[in-house]
Amino acid sequence: MKTLGTLGMDKQRLAALAALTLLPLAVACGSEDAGSGSVGAGASASVTGAHWAVDEVTVDGKKSAAPSSAWLRIADGGEVKGNLGCNNFGADAVFADSHVTFDQMQATEMACEGVPVNFEQTLARTLSDGDLTTEVEGDKLTLTTADGDRVALTKQEAAPLYGTKWTVTSPDTGGKAHLTFDEKTKMVSGSLGCNKVRATATVSDGRITLGTASTTRMMCDTSLMNTEKTLLGLFDGTVKYELDHRNLTLTSENGEHVNAAAAE
């Protein structure tokens, strides 16, 4: 996987994630019979093809809640895509009976605010800890290592562009910024992190034309006001949008990216 630029990355995150980019998974006993990329009918049927949001990771009895941006999806052919909370990752899934291993795991090396590097490292190491037992109950999936460490996940349906409350994850506003698009009124409304915002929004062919932003006039701390300026840069122009299940990316005309996730 081609890694993203590391401009502005702190040394701690670089050291932690550098180890992940080429971190192979151990192949579990019994997976050799299945063959690389092969799928065991028992586990794969209930696990593949779904979007799984990571709820929490338990290592040595200690639970760590996952950020809302952490998820994974396994295609029918075994290709794995996901996010550790900040960084995207990929791997190959090999199923055997009620077990799965994630082979050849690689991750990008972005530095993001609001996501502890320790969580990303813990999640990556747990997923890459060889043979994982899969247990599906309703919309819940639990992956358990041989040592009893666990990753708890919940199946999530895709979120539509319209009517969904899109919580901005980057730039970081601590979950305070959000946008909702209304198909009937052709408007977008929400919060920039401090001030409320409203504008026209016309959607066509992968693009959204945003009108002049109407906002409240409250003063907030400097960091939030700076973030609001970034978000305001989306308005009075046309942005490209990409919708990936429950994640939305808006790209302004000058290349600025705003990422958002569907609120629960």
Side-chain angles (χ1 to χ4, degrees):
M1 178 180 295
K2 183 179 180 181
T3 58
L4 301 182
T6 59
L7 182 62
M9 182 182 301
D10 59 84
K11 293 183 179 180
Q12 181 187 15
R13 184 178 291 276
L14 178 59
L17 289 176
L20 298 180
T21 55
L22 296 176
L23 180 64
L25 284 85
V27 179
C29 295
S31 63
E32 182 177 349
D33 294 337
S36 177
S38 64
V39 176
S44 67
S46 56
V47 174
T48 58
H51 180 102
W52 297 99
V54 180
D55 298 325
E56 63 184 22
V57 181
T58 303
V59 175
D60 296 330
K62 181 181 179 181
K63 293 183 179 181
S64 298
S68 60
S69 50
W71 61 275
L72 67 83
R73 182 166 59 233
I74 307 173
D76 291 338
E79 181 184 9
V80 183
K81 292 183 178 180
N83 189 285
L84 298 171
C86 168
N87 283 276
N88 297 319
F89 74 91
D92 296 321
V94 180
F95 288 91
D97 299 323
S98 59
H99 300 264
V100 65
T101 62
F102 295 112
D103 195 17
Q104 300 300 320
M105 184 171 176
Q106 296 184 6
T108 58
E109 297 181 353
M110 296 184 295
C112 300
E113 298 178 7
V115 179
V117 65
N118 288 342
F119 176 84
E120 292 202 304
Q121 190 175 24
T122 298
L123 175 57
R125 292 194 180 282
T126 304
L127 290 175
S128 61
D129 193 10
D131 186 43
L132 303 174
T133 301
T134 65
E135 181 179 355
V136 178
E137 184 173 349
D139 63 349
K140 300 292 183 180
L141 167 65
T142 304
L143 303 174
T144 306
T145 70
D147 293 330
D149 297 333
R150 300 185 304 278
V151 179
L153 310 97
T154 299
K155 183 186 294 186
Q156 290 184 324
E157 299 300 326
L161 174 66
Y162 293 111
T164 299
K165 180 179 178 181
W166 295 103
T167 300
V168 176
T169 56
S170 177
D172 180 38
T173 63
K176 296 179 180 179
H178 57 85
L179 298 171
T180 300
F181 295 89
D182 190 307
E183 185 174 13
K184 291 183 178 180
T185 63
K186 295 185 178 180
M187 300 288 292
V188 61
S189 59
S191 171
L192 300 173
C194 174
N195 286 282
K196 295 180 180 180
V197 65
R198 183 175 173 83
T200 58
T202 304
V203 181
S204 177
D205 298 326
R207 297 176 182 271
I208 305 174
T209 300
L210 297 171
T212 302
S214 174
T215 68
T216 54
R217 302 288 182 177
M218 295 186 294
M219 294 298 295
C220 302
D221 63 71
T222 303
S223 61
L224 273 180
M225 295 305 291
N226 288 338
T227 300
E228 288 204 350
K229 290 180 181 179
T230 299
L231 296 177
L232 281 172
L234 298 173
F235 295 86
D236 262 338
T238 300
V239 299
K240 295 180 182 178
Y241 80 92
E242 294 180 19
L243 190 59
D244 182 9
H245 201 79
R246 298 182 66 84
N247 297 283
L248 174 67
T249 301
L250 302 175
T251 305
S252 67
E253 294 172 331
N254 62 2
E256 292 279 348
H257 296 286
V258 171
N259 300 310
E264 295 302 316

